[in-house]
Amino acid sequence: MSHLCVFRCRSILPATFIFVVTLFAPRAFGQPAPAKQNAPAAAAQAAPRQPAPTAEMLAIQAASQKEHDREMEALGIQLLRRGADGNVNSPNSANYDEAKANVYPALPDPLVLNDGKRVTSAEMWWSKRRPEIVEIFDREIYGRVPANTPKVKWEVVSTRQEKNGDVPVVTKELIGHVDNSLDPSIQVNIELTLSTPADATGPVPVLMEFGLSKEFLAMLAKRFPQFATLMSGQGPGKAGKTWQQQVLARGWGYAEYIPATVQADNGAGLNEGIVGLMNKGQSRKVDDWGALRAWAWGASRCLDYFETDKAVDAKQVGIEGHSRYGKAALVTMAYDPRFAAAYVSSSGEGGAKLYRHIFGEQVGNIANDEFYWMAANFMKYDGPLTPADLPVDNHEFVALCAPRPVFISSGATNGDGWVDAKGMFLAAAGAGPVYRLLGKKDMGTTIFPPMETSLIDGDVAFRQHSGGHTPGPNWPAFLAFASRYLHGPAVPGATASGTPPAASAPVHLTAEQDRERMFDLLGITGAQLRPQPSGDAKASSATNYDEAKADVYPNLPDPLAAKDGTKITTSSQWWEMRRPEIVADYEREILGVAPHDLPGVKWETLRALQENIGDIPVVTRQLAGHVDNSSYPAISVTMEAALITPAHANGPVPVIVSLAFPGDFKSSLARPLTDTGSGASGDYGQAWIRQVLARGWGVAILNPNSWQLDDGSGLTEGIIGLMNKGQPRSPDDWGTLRAWAWGASRFLDYLESDKSIDATKVGLFGHSRFGKTALVTMAFDQRFAAVYSSSSGEGGAKLYRHIYGEQMPNIASNSLYHWMAGNFLRYAGPKTPADLPVDNHELIALIAPRPVFIGAGGNKGDGYANPHGDGWADPRGMFLAEVAAGPVYDLLGKRGLGTSQMPPVETAVASGDLAFRQHNLGHTPVPNWPAFLEFASRYLNAAK
């Protein structure tokens, strides 16, 4: 069925039926789109034949047309412009070319009063600007709600104990009887169903859907078998939990409200329903409310009921609506501040879409066909006025929801183009200044994101899925977004995907479960990731160790070019302009954002003794850092550290802090110290301690695993879990590397309080994954004085764009993904390293002007299958990153490597402030210690 047929038949068939039939047009569940339909797919989704209109349908059509004509006459309008046509062959076909959409580029400023004054405070917004915007929407678009609407008496028709999936629920069927004493001939009875977890220990949050009646749904499911899956919240072609089951998994309840029981979805019904009741069966005025405001009024009456039901936390009620009910959900949210959150799905024109963005459905479609949704005044803007004449636009309507959270959703242009995903995104972006004024976060970008990118870190959220006209695929992302605001009591049996944040214990997920959950939030699947490079040289995905094949992505981002193209030529430009841009990219896309309200750490000396290490008298202290867990006592975090300082120093001494593997940390506490490793993972012996002490410096050894476990199963514990109160991460939350770096900084806090330490001369050392951590720590904490990063590889000093040894899919694996922000997973597929806005030469540049020593082993083995080399860490890829960081060091008055030619093995390039050395052994830091200490001695000098 073409969309043209929908328009021609719309005035004949009941509007809700047309709405649903439209879902099954050949275009991937049904909105018109610009691309040609694949022939087999078109055949598979061929639309059913239209049923012949009944006498009742013809009567509704005639009454609707009569009301439409009456309202046009009342407005003095002779002719309306035709709406956009869904038939791509029509001369009036809908526009799907973004280049032609910006016909009316000037949007009203939501923070400028009608008198031209700028809104500069929250008080001005609430007392002046917001009332102005509300008045315009009331008068020109949605209509005015009468002042004395009737009361509603709620009746519980039935209560039953049942199961939805495997969760026991209590379901109540309710009827809200609207007082019709104003006109007894008109009856309005609101239908509402409420289901809450049977085992809840207190009132629960509830998500209420604007939906269709069960009888109508059953008829549609019988006539259109694919309809049941489409509307379940699973998404087309997917099996799994319905949206209701996903909500229950978080310990919340759900409700289904039937708006058509408040006001009919057609123009003939304007003399009936709540609109007709308030007008005593007479015609409405040109600024009277339409169906959207009426449906929103009914939703508010449902909330009135929830406020009386002890099973519901009425301060935590969210709403969801799709298509026309997406519009109604947004209207509800804008006009009733009691609702806590909204999922606005494919709302399009008259919803979240900008009227001025001429793409897909237009003002004329509503003014001609669904005029009854709006005030009659709205028709003026389809003739003689235009969208440019509207004194407001829908970015201001989204802004009316501020500061509460709103999630705006759509499907792909090829399947849901009618609703104009970009037009809705632009409205969400345009509401951002109001959210910021009120102390909340906008989407963080004004650039339309790639499909299936979840912008859910602010209080205005957006996501476009790859399916058609359905809310299903975006339910997981919305629930992750909403879980920041809706917090319920503990519910026995709540699943891993959604235990309420107020639960007494952290959520326990395996790494596999947590990674799959993150895939859902990102809208990708594990199948979209590139294969991990294999150690099997004969495998099709064998690891590349051929330098001639490594330069797949030769173009590196310029660390001295700002995003707006400005060339960075001064140190002040670097610190004020370019460096913050790079930091923001790393936080958003790679390492994650550390929380702002991190707890304090109280350090305790567990043991102190005087001893000799070799012939050097030292004082050795074993320390514990107790992290303040008052915000979530269910998680305790204790940091483990050891500090060894010369016993007879003449004053405060420099210190080298080692980020140690658990085995290495344990060996550092054992006596006597051994120069060779124990064989435990990460234990390379303690000879380096003697070398450092021989220079008159101190040594500290930290166990990063003590404050954040090196496993995805530990993300709901440790410091990350403490900050998230035992809940799983969002996509831009910090990963383990940032958490380990945070711990290193907290130990430096301690060193600053120790009079035996010169805290201005503290160097860092880390090997392999802790080589990565050492670089991250240096980049984010300017207090550290120097670093030895050994064999850090992918995610450390190695260029992501240098395809040699370890690659992004390895970091994205179940065993390592936790190091990074969830967003990083996208670059292992479907994105590539070339899509990264930064690369690791810029991570090194963030350390400038402080000294960096990069160490690596030989290329002749990978360090794992063949332990005699270090090819997996890609020594050349790390060297190239240092070379490319050189211009920043030069700008800041320091010296880079001084060469762009890879040096011979065992040759230290260390005359500048960037240094590099590759030894000829395996995956070990030991052979490079003497060269590093010689390099570091230029910066860390012991007291005389």
Side-chain angles (χ1 to χ4, degrees), residues 592-898:
V593 179
H596 295 296
D597 52 347
L598 282 156
V601 178
K602 184 177 181 180
W603 287 93
E604 174 188 10
T605 301
L606 301 177
R607 184 179 62 151
L609 72 155
Q610 293 196 354
E611 60 176 341
N612 284 349
I613 293 180
D615 59 356
I616 302 174
V618 298
V619 176
T620 299
R621 282 172 278 177
Q622 189 173 348
L623 302 158
H626 304 289
V627 180
D628 179 3
N629 68 337
S630 57
S631 66
Y632 189 67
I635 293 177
S636 296
V637 182
T638 301
M639 305 169 66
E640 297 177 354
L643 177 63
I644 305 171
T645 53
H648 304 306
N650 294 328
V653 298
V655 169
I656 299 294
V657 177
S658 169
L659 303 169
F661 287 83
D664 202 22
F665 180 77
K666 183 177 180 181
S667 294
S668 72
L669 299 176
R671 296 295 182 269
L673 291 175
T674 60
D675 288 349
T676 58
S678 64
S681 175
D683 184 1
Y684 299 98
Q686 309 304 319
W688 71 274
I689 293 180
R690 301 178 196 276
Q691 296 173 48
V692 173
L693 291 172
R695 290 181 175 269
W697 304 348
V699 169
I701 306 98
L702 306 184
N703 179 14
N705 272 265
S706 65
W707 64 84
Q708 190 60 52
L709 188 66
D710 188 12
D711 191 285
S713 65
L715 288 171
T716 53
E717 298 185 349
I719 185 60
I720 295 176
L722 175 62
M723 296 311 297
N724 288 328
K725 295 183 169 61
Q727 298 303 299
R729 298 186 298 168
S730 63
D732 73 339
D733 256 2
W734 54 340
T736 305
L737 293 182
R738 279 296 304 266
W740 287 339
W742 169 84
S745 292
R746 300 295 70 74
F747 185 70
L748 182 52
D749 295 343
Y750 167 77
L751 294 179
E752 289 178 333
S753 71
D754 191 318
K755 294 181 180 180
S756 69
I757 306 301
D758 183 348
T760 66
K761 296 177 180 177
V762 176
L764 269 175
F765 159 68
H767 173 67
S768 194
R769 63 198 60 194
F770 295 124
K772 310 179 204 294
T773 307
L775 288 175
V776 173
T777 307
M778 287 287 289
F780 284 91
D781 192 333
Q782 299 289 315
R783 298 175 297 167
F784 286 96
V787 64
Y788 171 17
S789 174
S790 171
S791 300
S792 60
E794 193 82 347
K798 174 188 183 306
L799 291 174
Y800 292 114
R801 288 165 169 83
H802 196 251
I803 308 303
Y804 187 106
E806 188 176 25
Q807 297 302 311
M808 283 182 168
N810 300 103
I811 304 292
S813 67
N814 279 327
S815 58
L816 304 179
Y817 77 98
H818 57 278
W819 290 348
M820 309 302 219
N823 282 332
F824 182 81
L825 290 169
R826 297 177 299 165
Y827 295 96
K831 295 178 181 251
T832 72
D835 295 311
L836 270 172
V838 287
D839 212 321
N840 283 331
H841 61 303
E842 293 170 297
L843 180 65
I844 296 171
L846 292 181
I847 301 171
R850 292 162 297 150
V852 176
F853 181 99
I854 304 294
N859 291 331
K860 59 190 176 184
D862 62 9
Y864 294 93
N866 180 352
H868 300 293
D870 199 23
W872 187 250
D874 186 11
R876 182 176 176 82
M878 295 190 287
F879 172 79
L880 292 173
E882 277 201 286
V883 170
V888 177
Y889 276 77
D890 294 341
L891 179 73
L892 299 181
K894 298 295 181 177
R895 292 178 58 196
L897 285 173

Side-chain angles (χ1 to χ4, degrees), residues 231-242:
M231 299 306 287
S232 68
Q234 299 168 343
K238 296 197 176 177
K241 291 182 178 179
T242 65

